[in-house]
Amino acid sequence: MDRISELSNHILSDILTILSTEDLLKTSILSKRWHKLWTLCIDLYFDTSNVLGSNNEEEYAPTVKPGFHLTMKRHPIVILGKRQPIKLTMKRRVTLDDEFVKRVDRFVKNFQGTIIKSFMVNFCLDKEQRRSIDQWITFAIASIFDTRGLDTDDFSPFKNLRSLSLEEVKLDGTYLGNMISSCPWLEQLCLFYCKFRYKILKIKSSSLCHLKIIGCYTVSYSNHQLEVNLIDLKCLKLNSLEYHGYILRGLNTVAVDTPMLKSIDFSISFKKGLGSFAFCATKFPKLEIMHVDIYSTVAAPKIIQPFKHLKELKLKLSLSWKILNDVEYDLLWILNILQASLLLQKLTVMLAYPQFLEHKKDIRDVKTFSHDEVKIIEMGGCVGNWFEIEFVMNVLKYAKKLEQIVLGPYWNEEDSMDWNSDPTWFKSGRERINEKFRDEEVVGREKVVLI
C-alpha cells in the first residue's frame, strides 16, 4: 500500500524539497498522483550535489560568497553565490559549468508551479552565465511575487520586502531611491562595492533599521574611481549604520535625520574627518556603540557636546609608520574621546601594521583627565612603544573604576578574519612594559594583563 501518496500536497511538497533536482524530476513517472507533484516544491535549491551529483561536490570548496540576496520576512528569496574550484582543470571546470547551467535552465523552463517561497543557486557563476542568471532572477521574482505582466520599473511586487543586499552591482541613485520608497517594510539594506552612476547618494526610508554601505564608488571621466558620498540620510527608525568608503573623509557633510541610531561603524581618512566624533555626539543622541577605522595622522578631536549614552568604543588605527617617525605622535588624544563619553564601559584600541619606533619621548602625566565608568580597556597590535606605555600609565592613574587593561600583539586587516602579530612583542615588547611596571610607584600595575 502506497501510504506516502495518501499524504497531503503540503506535506509532500516539504518531502520533495529535500530531494536532489535529478531525483525530484524522476518522481513524475511514479504514478498519475506524482506526475505533477514536483511542481509543488516551493523551496528551490541548486548546488553541485543536487544538480551534478555528489561525486562532483568535493571538487568545489564550501565557502560561499553571496552576490544577490533578497529576503521577505524571514525567508531567503534569491541568492546567487560563488564557490572557488580547487584542483580542477579548466576543461573539467568548463564542462561542469555548462552542464550545471543547462540543467538549471531546463528545470526553470519546465517548472509549472504557480508560486515558490525561496530560490537559491550556489555554484561558481561568472559573467559567461549572465544571461542565464538574469533569466533565473526573473523567474524567481515572478514566481515569488507574481510579477507577470508588470513593467520593470514597477516595484509593487516588493511591497513585503524586508532585506535587500547587493554586491558589485551597477546602480542608479534615483532608481535605488524609488525602489526603497516603494518598500514600506524594508528593514535592512546592504550595498557592497556597487558602482553608481553619480557621486552623491541619498537614502530616505520610513522603515529602514540597518544600513551598510561598503566601498561603493563611481568612475570619473579620467577613469579614476571616486567614493560615493552619502549626503542625505533620513531614516527615522535607523538603529545601526556601517559606512566605509575608499577615502572617506568622515560624516561631517552628511545631512542626517536618524534620531534612533544606537550603533555606528565608519572610516576616517583625512584630518578633517576627525570632526566626525563631534558630529556623532551632536547628531546621534542615543548612540551606544561606535567603531571607527582611522587611516591618517591624528590630532586631538574637539568634542563640545558629550556622548550621553556611549558604552562601547572601538578604534582601529591604520597609520603610516613613515609619518609617525616624522611627527609628534601619541595616543593621549584618545583620552579626549574618553573624557566626552561619560558612561563608556569598554574601550578597544587596535594598532594595525605595528612597528617599533626607536626614538623615545618623555612619558607625560595628563592630570586633567579622569573617568568614572570605564571598566575594560583592550589594546591590540602592541610592540612595546613608548606611547603605548604612556597611554597605559595615564589610564591606570585616572580611570577610577578600571578593572583590567589587556595588552596584546594581535591585529587584523580589513575584511579579514585572520589575526597577525609582530614578533617584536614576544622578543622584547612585553619585557619593556614589564620592566616599566615593576616600579612600585606605578598606580594600578596589578590591573595590567600582557598576552
Side-chain angles (χ1 to χ4, degrees):
M1 182 178 295
D2 185 5
R3 299 272 184 172
I4 295 180
S5 295
E6 295 178 0
L7 298 174
S8 66
N9 288 350
H10 175 72
I11 295 177
L12 288 176
S13 65
D14 288 338
I15 295 175
L16 293 173
T17 300
I18 66 176
L19 298 179
S20 68
T21 303
E22 185 178 0
D23 291 336
L24 183 64
L25 295 175
K26 287 179 180 179
T27 62
S28 63
I29 64 174
L30 295 177
S31 66
K32 291 183 178 180
R33 171 83 165 87
W34 285 84
H35 182 60
K36 292 185 178 182
L37 273 179
W38 68 277
T39 64
L40 296 177
C41 187
I42 59 175
D43 292 295
L44 304 182
Y45 178 69
F46 305 93
D47 67 359
T48 308
S49 177
N50 67 18
V51 174
L52 300 177
S54 58
N55 292 334
N56 297 299
E57 188 173 16
E58 293 183 357
E59 296 185 85
Y60 283 81
T63 303
V64 179
K65 178 184 178 182
F68 183 85
H69 185 187
L70 289 171
T71 303
M72 183 178 68
K73 296 183 179 179
R74 296 185 179 179
H75 302 295
I77 301 302
V78 180
I79 298 178
L80 299 178
K82 290 185 178 181
R83 287 192 175 195
Q84 281 296 323
I86 54 176
K87 298 180 182 179
L88 198 62
T89 65
M90 182 58 67
K91 182 177 180 181
R92 173 66 170 156
R93 174 182 171 179
V94 171
T95 301
L96 287 176
D97 288 355
D98 290 344
E99 184 63 25
F100 181 91
V101 171
K102 183 170 68 175
R103 293 188 183 187
V104 177
D105 278 343
R106 185 168 63 243
F107 183 96
V108 168
K109 183 178 179 180
N110 294 324
F111 187 78
Q112 298 178 12
T114 57
I115 191 169
I116 62 175
K117 185 176 68 174
S118 65
F119 181 92
M120 182 181 291
V121 177
N122 185 6
F123 195 74
C124 187
L125 302 165
D126 295 307
K127 61 182 180 180
E128 287 78 10
Q129 291 89 34
R130 60 182 178 270
R131 180 172 297 181
S132 291
I133 294 172
D134 288 342
Q135 292 174 350
W136 299 344
I137 293 176
T138 301
F139 160 80
I141 293 176
S143 300
I144 294 167
F145 299 114
D146 193 16
T147 64
R148 289 160 287 190
L150 294 178
D151 185 84
T152 55
D153 291 325
D154 186 349
F155 299 110
S156 59
F158 296 102
K159 63 183 180 180
N160 292 319
L161 192 67
R162 301 298 177 104
S163 176
L164 172 62
S165 178
L166 301 173
E167 182 173 348
E168 298 182 17
V169 177
K170 292 182 180 180
L171 290 171
D172 181 282
T174 303
Y175 183 87
L176 179 65
N178 290 339
M179 183 176 183
I180 293 174
S181 63
S182 301
C183 301
W185 299 106
L186 187 66
E187 296 177 353
Q188 178 172 305
L189 174 62
C190 303
L191 305 174
F192 299 103
Y193 303 99
C194 291
K195 179 180 178 181
F196 280 81
R197 185 176 180 182
Y198 300 109
K199 188 178 179 180
I200 61 175
L201 176 63
K202 300 179 180 181
I203 295 181
K204 298 182 180 181
S205 171
S206 59
S207 60
L208 203 61
C209 297
H210 308 285
L211 174 62
K212 286 187 179 183
I213 304 175
I214 310 293
C216 292
Y217 67 97
T218 186
V219 178
S220 66
Y221 290 109
S222 56
N223 208 32
H224 290 130
Q225 286 189 359
L226 303 173
E227 83 278 11
V228 168
N229 291 326
L230 178 64
I231 64 168
D232 194 352
L233 179 62
K234 186 176 182 180
C235 302
L236 300 181
K237 293 183 179 181
L238 196 66
N239 186 271
S240 68
L241 170 63
E242 187 172 345
Y243 180 34
H244 293 272
Y246 289 100
I247 51 173
L248 189 63
R249 297 174 183 265
L251 300 170
N252 313 44
T253 59
V254 183
V256 298
D257 187 2
T258 57
M260 304 302 293
L261 195 73
K262 292 185 177 180
S263 175
I264 190 167
D265 187 334
F266 65 97
S267 303
I268 296 174
S269 296
F270 295 92
K271 282 186 177 180
K272 64 175 64 176
L274 291 175
S276 297
F277 290 105
F279 180 88
C280 289
T282 304
K283 297 293 185 179
F284 309 130
K286 295 184 180 295
L287 195 64
E288 296 180 2
I289 300 172
M290 181 164 64
H291 294 179
V292 188
D293 291 355
I294 301 176
Y295 300 89
S296 68
T297 55
V298 175
K302 296 180 180 179
I303 307 174
I304 300 175
Q305 182 171 324
F307 291 96
K308 296 180 180 179
H309 300 283
L310 193 64
K311 297 179 181 178
E312 178 183 321
L313 173 62
K314 182 177 181 180
L315 302 174
K316 182 179 179 180
L317 311 180
S318 301
L319 307 178
S320 167
W321 291 101
K322 180 181 182 302
I323 295 177
L324 294 182
N325 277 291
D326 297 334
V327 300
E328 296 288 332
Y329 181 78
D330 59 54
L331 295 175
L332 297 183
W333 61 271
I334 298 175
L335 303 182
N336 287 49
I337 305 175
L338 195 59
Q339 184 97 39
S341 309
L342 305 178
L343 300 181
L344 193 73
Q345 296 182 3
K346 182 177 181 180
L347 169 66
T348 302
V349 180
M350 184 183 295
L351 305 172
Y353 310 101
Q355 179 178 321
F356 179 67
L357 303 181
E358 294 293 341
H359 65 270
K360 297 182 180 180
K361 305 290 182 180
D362 293 332
I363 304 297
R364 291 167 292 172
D365 186 358
V366 186
K367 296 180 180 180
T368 57
F369 168 75
S370 66
H371 200 281
D372 296 331
E373 292 297 331
V374 65
K375 294 180 173 62
I376 302 294
I377 295 180
E378 298 174 349
M379 182 178 293
C382 294
V383 291
N385 275 310
W386 65 270
F387 52 80
E388 298 167 19
I389 298 173
E390 179 184 63
F391 178 79
V392 172
M393 292 186 69
N394 277 280
V395 168
L396 286 175
K397 187 177 292 187
Y398 300 113
K400 300 176 182 179
K401 292 187 179 180
L402 186 68
E403 297 175 356
Q404 193 176 69
I405 180 166
V406 182
L407 308 183
Y410 302 105
W411 58 277
N412 62 348
E413 298 180 15
E414 184 179 4
D415 298 330
S416 173
M417 298 298 292
D418 297 326
W419 291 88
N420 305 286
S421 64
D422 190 304
T424 304
W425 172 255
F426 300 103
K427 292 178 181 178
S428 58
R430 281 191 299 189
E431 183 56 32
R432 276 194 298 273
I433 292 180
N434 264 327
E435 186 176 320
K436 187 68 178 179
F437 292 151
R438 286 194 186 104
D439 189 341
E440 293 183 0
E441 295 182 2
V442 175
V443 177
R445 58 180 182 167
E446 71 280 356
K447 299 176 182 178
V448 179
V449 178
L450 305 181
I451 297 178

